[in-house]
Amino acid sequence: MVPQVIKLCCQGCGADLEVSEEVRFLTCNYCHSKLEVVRDVTSTHTRVLEKLERATDQIVGNLKVIELQNDLERLDREWESTRQSLLIRGQNGGLYKPSILAAVIGGGAPIIGGIVFATFAGRHTMGWFPLIGIVFSCFGFINLATGLSKASAFQNKQAEYERLREQVVRLIERERGV
Ligand SMILES: [Zn+2]
């Protein structure tokens, strides 16, 4: 007696399958899931025994990408709050990125102004008056030093953030197979 062909539906991908009725285990030609034919009282259907490993790998890969994207977002958030904490308040109340140029201008102006004042006052007046210029110059040097150290702290933190971000972006690209 020739075995009858029965129509089944793959539980893995939904494809229509035709198998002879004596078959119990099969592999779907479309999604390559390993299936078992289950015969109930009212129906015959398939049950997935083993999905294609590539599908599982892909899911793991996707999870890794999601995890890495979360890392990226966390990195961006952390940098944003670090950046905010490193900004300096300008005279008009605005916040500025500390830069070497700003430090040189902010420190250089009182240094030069102080020296000019001290020289001029020293020529024309006596006593402590020229000292005001010296004090002014000293403030300028302090300004210059703190300005430069803030600018370099900002640059270092930014470089560190960009390096880490680059690494995570590269990992995501690798995971996606770009
Ligand atoms: Zn299938």
Side-chain angles (χ1 to χ4, degrees):
M1 196 178 110
V2 183
Q4 266 205 299
V5 170
I6 52 168
K7 285 187 175 178
L8 291 170
C9 180
C10 170
Q11 276 304 110
C13 68
D16 291 326
L17 308 171
E18 289 186 6
V19 294
S20 62
E21 61 176 353
E22 64 204 358
V23 168
R24 174 136 185 247
F25 297 102
L26 66 142
T27 302
C28 170
N29 279 348
Y30 300 95
C31 73
H32 305 285
S33 294
K34 291 200 165 61
L35 304 167
E36 181 186 5
V37 178
V38 183
R39 290 181 172 85
D40 283 346
V41 186
T42 55
S43 73
T44 302
H45 56 269
T46 59
R47 186 167 72 87
V48 176
L49 295 175
E50 195 188 314
K51 273 225 165 192
L52 181 66
E53 263 172 48
R54 185 145 41 92
T56 323
D57 283 352
Q58 209 169 359
I59 290 166
V60 172
N62 287 344
L63 286 177
K64 252 186 215 162
V65 169
I66 290 168
E67 215 172 282
L68 287 166
Q69 276 167 341
N70 284 340
D71 285 349
L72 206 60
E73 276 170 29
R74 186 174 46 79
L75 218 59
D76 288 348
R77 270 200 309 275
E78 280 175 5
W79 164 243
E80 190 47 37
S81 84
T82 307
R83 200 181 72 85
Q84 290 289 337
S85 76
L86 291 173
L87 292 178
I88 44 174
R89 196 165 285 281
Q91 279 171 345
N92 58 1
L95 289 169
Y96 298 96
K97 179 185 150 184
S99 71
I100 292 171
L101 182 67
V104 168
I105 293 170
I111 291 170
I112 293 165
I115 290 169
V116 168
F117 181 89
T119 312
F120 190 78
R123 258 190 225 148
H124 301 283
T125 61
M126 299 296 282
W128 53 267
F129 200 57
L131 281 180
I132 294 173
I134 305 296
V135 171
F136 214 64
S137 280
C138 289
F139 276 122
F141 277 109
I142 293 166
N143 261 359
L144 179 65
T146 44
L148 287 177
S149 103
K150 277 179 183 173
S152 100
F154 192 93
Q155 279 178 354
N156 289 342
K157 290 277 180 191
Q158 188 170 28
E160 188 189 322
Y161 156 71
E162 280 167 1
R163 189 174 50 77
L164 282 171
R165 195 177 201 286
E166 179 69 35
Q167 275 177 5
V168 177
V169 167
R170 235 178 289 144
L171 283 173
I172 290 174
E173 282 173 357
R174 199 165 69 190
E175 209 56 57
R176 280 180 172 161
V178 172

